[in-house]
Amino acid sequence: MPRLTLLFLVALLASAARRGAVDASIVDGLEVGFYGQSCPDAEGAIRNVVNNEISMNRGIAPGLIRLFFHDCFITGCDASILLDESPAGDVPEKESSANGFTLVGLRTIDIAKSTVEAMCPRTVSCADILAFAARDAAVAAGLPSYDVAAGRRDGMRSNMDDLPGNFPVPGHHVPRLTELFSQRGLTQEDLVALSGAHSIGGAHCFMFSNRIYGFSKDADVDPSLDLDYAARLRQVCPPKNPNNDPQQAPKVKFDARTGERLDAAYYSELLARRGLLTSDNALIEDTQTRAMVEAFARDEVMWQQKFAEAMQKVGMLDVLIGEDKGQVRRQCRLVNGQEQQQLPWFRPHFPWFRQRRPPRPFPHNPMGDLINGFFRGFH
């Protein structure tokens, strides 16, 4: 199959983010069929791994989509979220409270990388594997397939300090969400379309407990919630306790109707006042985004197309292209040259087993970061 080059104009953004490093460029130079000659079976092999993993655990599908979004939204699609260690000594992105124990799908990426490395050593980047895997996860969950352009290189840095203030959180409303997406070269329509990923997966109770307990001085429950829905949430989720372990918190599906199928039912649920997070419900409180929600609820085919297009745009954020930028990692969790730190008897088949510092405890703060990531709990 001939390579079809996808040309995109560079979108340089005007507004500066708090840390300066988050303004994004949508970069041209990626190609559909990039590995057609160098590793022609790569996409099929990755798809097989993803499908096999999802057949054993349906939570892998939303986890991979979320992993892709979390990687691309901060420093671009450079697989920085996959790194266990940063060569500069920074605490990596995956240990941020926006990620941490809630990341799902890392092992799937490890398996896909090991599989492809056995076929075509040092050829397919981890950033491309993650982009392919997110597409394959969406397709496994019910979305029609779409092309993924490739040619990304893997980054060599990862720092969890890049996230605070630069990432959408569950408590955000439309103006702030729109601002953050705009800084990444994404439109308000992209925001609403990508929010449809919440038709699969779910969230831990602490992500929305502020809506069902102690909402305000005048109302214990957020009055914008459907009363029966709020009552069901309270049956699953006890009042928050700062001493509870967040990892043990119950989880609730974003979409109680078709929670394992990626479809437009999410938008109908929003209009029925059954949006789980504040950021979900915010989409029907804003006039402009509500019109988009209503349109997607009426026309699932249109939403599927807009979702795929938005995922393609996300996949082009600040990508590294060319042999003079980044690298093709041999293992997705390590920058090349760090492999000697790994336990030798697990190499190369089990790259997720390696010596590393103990994980940082998740902060026992009830607001903890209400504040911890737009797609958090996506498993």
Side-chain angles (χ1 to χ4, degrees):
M1 179 183 295
R3 292 184 178 179
L4 303 176
T5 303
L6 297 181
L7 300 178
F8 300 96
L9 296 176
V10 176
L12 297 177
L13 305 169
S15 52
R18 196 178 76 170
R19 296 190 189 280
V22 298
D23 283 1
S25 298
I26 294 179
V27 183
D28 65 356
L30 299 180
E31 300 177 9
V32 173
F34 181 82
Y35 297 106
Q37 294 182 8
S38 61
C39 195
D41 296 326
E43 288 194 53
I46 294 165
R47 183 181 307 113
N48 289 340
V49 169
V50 169
N51 288 341
N52 184 59
E53 290 286 292
I54 291 174
S55 71
M56 296 185 290
N57 178 3
R58 298 295 297 179
I60 296 294
L64 288 172
I65 296 171
R66 176 178 180 261
L67 195 61
F68 171 70
F69 182 86
H70 278 222
D71 181 51
C72 295
F73 202 87
I74 298 301
T75 58
C77 304
D78 60 357
S80 55
I81 198 169
L82 304 178
L83 287 176
D84 283 348
E85 306 285 347
S86 172
D90 300 315
V91 180
E93 291 173 31
K94 64 167 51 172
E95 294 195 25
S96 164
S97 60
N99 298 314
F101 72 87
T102 69
L103 291 182
V104 173
L106 293 169
R107 177 179 176 274
T108 303
I109 300 300
D110 288 333
I111 295 172
K113 177 62 172 175
S114 295
T115 301
V116 173
E117 280 293 301
M119 297 163 50
C120 314
R122 305 184 186 185
T123 301
V124 183
S125 70
C126 298
D128 280 343
I129 289 173
L130 183 52
F132 291 139
R135 183 269 312 276
D136 297 336
V139 172
L143 198 80
S145 188
Y146 59 90
D147 288 334
V148 171
R152 302 166 187 81
R153 304 268 290 178
D154 298 324
M156 300 174 66
R157 67 176 296 275
S158 183
N159 189 341
M160 75 172 188
D161 289 339
D162 290 333
L163 277 75
N166 298 324
F167 200 72
V169 303
H172 278 158
H173 290 268
V174 168
R176 180 57 176 156
L177 293 171
T178 301
E179 178 185 21
L180 288 169
F181 271 64
S182 177
Q183 289 172 357
R184 306 307 289 157
L186 301 169
T187 67
Q188 193 173 73
E189 183 178 64
D190 295 328
L191 159 66
V192 180
L194 289 169
S195 295
H198 280 185
S199 68
I200 55 176
H204 293 273
C205 291
F206 59 81
M207 297 303 298
F208 55 87
S209 62
N210 63 309
R211 301 190 69 200
I212 57 175
Y213 295 106
F215 178 74
S216 70
K217 191 185 306 182
D218 301 319
D220 194 33
V221 174
D222 184 347
S224 67
L225 277 172
D226 174 78
L227 291 178
D228 290 339
Y229 181 60
R232 291 199 299 273
L233 293 178
R234 286 167 67 106
Q235 288 177 349
V236 175
C237 301
K240 59 188 178 184
N241 182 334
N243 295 317
N244 288 345
D245 181 359
Q247 297 191 44
Q248 303 304 316
K251 290 179 288 186
V252 175
K253 289 183 178 181
F254 286 119
D255 176 1
R257 291 171 53 196
T258 59
E260 292 187 351
R261 181 171 178 78
L262 192 58
D263 58 21
Y266 164 78
Y267 299 101
S268 298
E269 290 294 281
L270 292 186
L271 294 169
R273 300 165 55 203
R274 292 191 289 267
L276 191 60
L277 305 179
T278 297
S279 54
D280 292 321
N281 186 67
L283 299 180
I284 63 169
E285 295 183 332
D286 179 271
T287 303
Q288 288 182 309
T289 54
R290 184 184 179 96
M292 298 176 199
V293 169
E294 291 171 344
F296 290 153
R298 290 192 302 268
D299 190 339
E300 182 166 296
V301 173
M302 178 176 66
W303 168 72
Q304 290 173 336
Q305 178 181 348
K306 295 296 184 181
F307 181 84
E309 291 172 355
M311 288 287 281
Q312 289 171 326
K313 288 175 68 175
V314 168
M316 294 182 290
L317 294 178
D318 284 336
V319 295
L320 303 174
I321 297 176
E323 293 187 3
D324 60 330
K325 295 182 180 179
Q327 60 182 209
V328 175
R329 291 183 208 145
R330 290 187 287 270
Q331 295 181 19
C332 291
R333 293 174 181 257
L334 297 168
V335 168
N336 294 343
Q338 292 185 303
E339 296 91 336
Q340 65 272 19
Q341 300 175 30
Q342 188 180 353
L343 294 172
W345 52 87
F346 287 123
R347 186 170 60 233
H349 303 291
F350 303 101
W352 52 91
F353 286 108
R354 58 181 302 273
Q355 291 175 315
R356 56 174 301 194
R357 62 178 171 273
R360 294 179 172 230
F362 191 89
H364 288 256
N365 183 330
M367 294 300 288
D369 295 30
L370 247 173
I371 322 199
N372 33 31
F374 189 51
F375 288 108
R376 181 173 188 173
F378 225 67
H379 60 293

